[in-house]
Amino acid sequence: MTTQNAINWPEKYLPGTGDNFVSNEVIVKGLTAARVWHYLTDTSTWESYYDNVADISFPESGGPELSGELAFSFGTFGFPPLAARVVEFQTPDQDVPGRLSWTAKQDGKPEQRLDVLHAWLVEDLPGGRVRILTQESQIGEPAAALANERPNPMLNGHQAWLDGVVRAASA
């Protein structure tokens, strides 16, 4: 029996306790976690396979490759660039899943404040398969508004990101 890993959640962002939560997952044969990891952690590739991200920058230097504690910013879902920081970074290895998560925040008036944790888990599975799981927990009025939209733009946007990273890693 194979047990699949789960996202590590800080208590503040625990799914179901905030204003919006989405979860997307794909399992694909013929790819490896290491191959996917490259396209997920090298932000210079993001815009080539995901059209809902822009204005990626690194205000404290570093990048374009993500790493532990790295500060960066990016625009997405029509928000101005969000201040982000990598809070978990574990490169995939044999029997060890890749783990990447970052917080992203937008300050301002209460109706503008947004605080999210976006997490990724990338793991090799038996039979030459890879599992890519992405989940995001959001706090704030903009998050609550997104959660009430139909279709859910976060769910669809993150599926597009998953589909894009699979395409890029498969090329």
Side-chain angles (χ1 to χ4, degrees):
M1 181 169 124
T2 301
T3 302
Q4 295 181 344
N5 291 283
I7 301 292
N8 296 325
W9 287 103
E11 187 174 340
K12 175 181 179 179
Y13 300 102
L14 193 63
T17 64
D19 297 303
N20 193 15
F21 172 77
V22 295
S23 179
N24 300 71
E25 176 181 40
V26 294
I27 297 176
V28 181
K29 66 180 177 179
L31 280 179
T32 65
R35 178 88 176 141
V36 171
W37 191 251
H38 165 74
Y39 289 95
L40 185 57
T41 59
D42 183 351
T43 64
S44 70
T45 68
W46 288 5
E47 291 182 62
S48 71
Y49 67 80
Y50 182 50
D51 64 6
N52 192 25
V53 68
D55 303 320
I56 302 166
S57 67
F58 299 87
E60 298 173 7
S61 77
E65 289 85 16
L66 297 179
S67 59
E69 300 299 316
L70 181 70
F72 66 108
S73 68
F74 64 101
T76 189
F77 291 98
F79 293 107
L82 301 168
R85 182 169 297 276
V86 175
V87 295
E88 185 177 29
F89 189 93
Q90 176 182 289
T91 303
D93 202 355
Q94 185 175 352
D95 299 323
V96 176
R99 293 181 179 278
L100 172 64
S101 63
W102 59 76
T103 57
K105 299 179 182 191
Q106 175 177 280
D107 293 325
K109 300 174 186 173
E111 64 271 12
Q112 297 171 317
R113 287 187 203 135
L114 183 63
D115 185 356
V116 310
L117 185 110
H118 191 150
W120 295 83
L121 188 138
V122 183
E123 66 181 327
D124 289 314
L125 298 175
R129 301 171 300 143
V130 68
R131 174 181 177 233
I132 311 165
L133 171 66
T134 187
Q135 297 180 329
E136 183 165 311
S137 183
Q138 304 177 328
I139 303 164
E141 289 183 32
L146 284 172
N148 287 320
E149 288 186 38
R150 295 294 176 265
N152 185 311
M154 294 300 298
L155 190 65
N156 291 339
H158 289 169
Q159 189 63 46
W161 202 338
L162 277 175
D163 295 344
V165 77
V166 167
R167 273 193 314 276
S170 298

